[in-house]
């Protein structure tokens, strides 16, 4: 077994154990492998190991990798980084789901970029910190943004996304996110995705109801030197 395969298997076992401990079916969880800064051939290796959900933080990397790996037409590409409105069209061309919609202007830009009848899956990113400079809409504004997204026919509201604050126990942060997710589902019962949990806190995220986990270096290994 290759080192990559071993890391992937180890994480999947931990995910399955955490799901069962929470009384959940591991099959209900989607593990997204975040390949930030890794080359496209690594995604091809992951695909050969059965990975079908891949996450990218930067539009340039997302676009380049999707183009290079166009033959892997069953990979679902998740954009999980902060998005600039002037890159909305490029993101829309390459992403199957955008987890980081945090303002109406971005939702509008993604909608305007639609060039066919395709519908883009999007999530409302919630800022669980007290720092307004962090990505995400304030918890009290998540419902309003969700309602706005529902008015844009080329976008499909899927749910919510967040990153746990560094100065708070992940369990309590994810419980707050779950309450926000419940509120969003009152405006769209089908918006059941909760994108939460990374390498260090996915166990707590699963216990709080996360449906989509974003796992990076624990699977891919250390990120390559960009310099």
């Amino acid at each position: 077994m290759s080192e990559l395969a071993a890391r992937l298997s180890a994480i999947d076992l931990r995910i399955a154990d955490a799901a069962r401990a929470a009384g959940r079916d591991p099959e209900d969880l989607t593990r997204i492998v975040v390949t930030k800064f890794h080359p496209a051939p690594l995604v091809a290796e992951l695909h050969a190991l059965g990975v079908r959900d891949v996450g990218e933080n930067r539009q340039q990397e997302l676009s380049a990798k999707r183009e290079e790996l166009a033959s892997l037409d069953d990979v679902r590409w998740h954009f999980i980084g902060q998005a600039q409105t002037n890159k909305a069209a490029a993101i829309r061309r390459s992403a199957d789901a955008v987890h980081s919609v945090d303002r109406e202007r971005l939702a509008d830009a993604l909608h305007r970029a639609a060039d066919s009848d395709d519908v883009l899956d999007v999530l409302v990113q919630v800022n669980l910190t007290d720092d307004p400079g962090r990505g995400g809409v304030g918890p009290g504004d998540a419902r309003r943004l969700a309602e706005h997204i529902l008015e844009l026919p080329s976008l499909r509201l899927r749910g919510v996304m967040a990153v746990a604050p560094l100065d708070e126990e992940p369990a309590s942060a994810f419980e707050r996110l779950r309450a926000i997710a419940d509120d969003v589902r009152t405006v769209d019962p089908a918006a059941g995705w909760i994108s939460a949990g990374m390498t260090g806190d996915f166990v707590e995220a699963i216990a709080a109801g996360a449906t989509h986990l974003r796992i990076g270096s624990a699977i891919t290994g250390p990120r390559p030197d960009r310099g």
Side-chain angles (χ1 to χ4, degrees):
M1 181 182 293
S2 70
E3 291 185 8
L4 181 63
R7 290 192 296 263
L8 179 65
S9 178
I11 286 292
D12 284 348
L13 285 172
R14 290 177 59 196
I15 290 172
D17 287 345
R20 286 190 287 266
R24 301 182 60 193
D25 184 347
E27 294 298 318
D28 292 338
L29 302 176
T30 298
R31 175 254 298 124
I32 300 168
V33 181
V34 181
T35 58
K36 180 180 180 180
F37 301 148
H38 288 278
L42 181 76
V43 179
E45 290 182 56
L46 289 164
H47 181 270
L49 294 171
V51 170
R52 294 297 180 268
D53 291 273
V54 175
E56 287 294 336
N57 292 70
R58 299 169 67 246
Q59 175 268 315
Q60 296 92 329
E61 274 197 86
L62 170 69
S63 299
K65 288 178 185 174
R66 179 146 199 176
E67 181 177 1
E68 184 173 344
L69 300 169
S71 62
L72 305 182
D73 57 5
D74 57 347
V75 171
R76 292 179 292 271
W77 295 89
H78 301 255
F79 184 77
I80 61 176
Q82 294 310 116
Q84 299 174 335
T85 54
N86 63 355
K87 294 183 177 180
I91 291 170
R92 172 138 203 172
R93 284 193 297 270
S94 299
D96 297 299
V98 177
H99 291 229
S100 48
V101 177
D102 60 358
R103 57 200 185 279
E104 291 184 3
R105 285 185 59 228
L106 177 57
D108 292 342
L110 289 168
H111 173 60
R112 287 195 301 270
D115 59 3
S116 68
D117 293 332
D118 290 341
V119 176
L120 178 68
D121 289 336
V122 300
L123 294 89
V124 171
Q125 182 178 359
V126 181
N127 181 1
L128 297 176
T129 77
D130 295 326
D131 180 2
R134 293 289 296 273
V137 68
D141 294 322
R143 180 186 179 124
R144 175 187 53 78
L145 180 54
E147 290 172 338
H148 182 78
I149 291 170
L150 289 174
E151 297 173 355
L152 304 174
S154 79
L155 304 183
R156 180 188 293 113
L157 178 65
R158 282 297 198 178
V160 299
M161 183 272 262
V163 177
L166 296 176
D167 59 353
E168 180 181 355
E169 289 295 323
S172 64
F174 292 141
E175 284 299 332
R176 290 194 290 123
L177 180 63
R178 181 168 187 164
I180 296 166
D182 289 344
D183 188 43
V184 166
R185 280 197 297 274
T186 66
V187 299
D188 184 0
W193 292 14
I194 301 178
S195 173
M198 299 185 292
T199 298
D201 56 22
F202 69 78
V203 172
E204 293 87 346
I206 290 170
T211 62
H212 289 64
L213 314 172
R214 309 181 306 272
I215 313 291
S217 57
I219 294 173
T220 62
R223 289 172 180 159
D225 184 356
R226 299 178 64 197

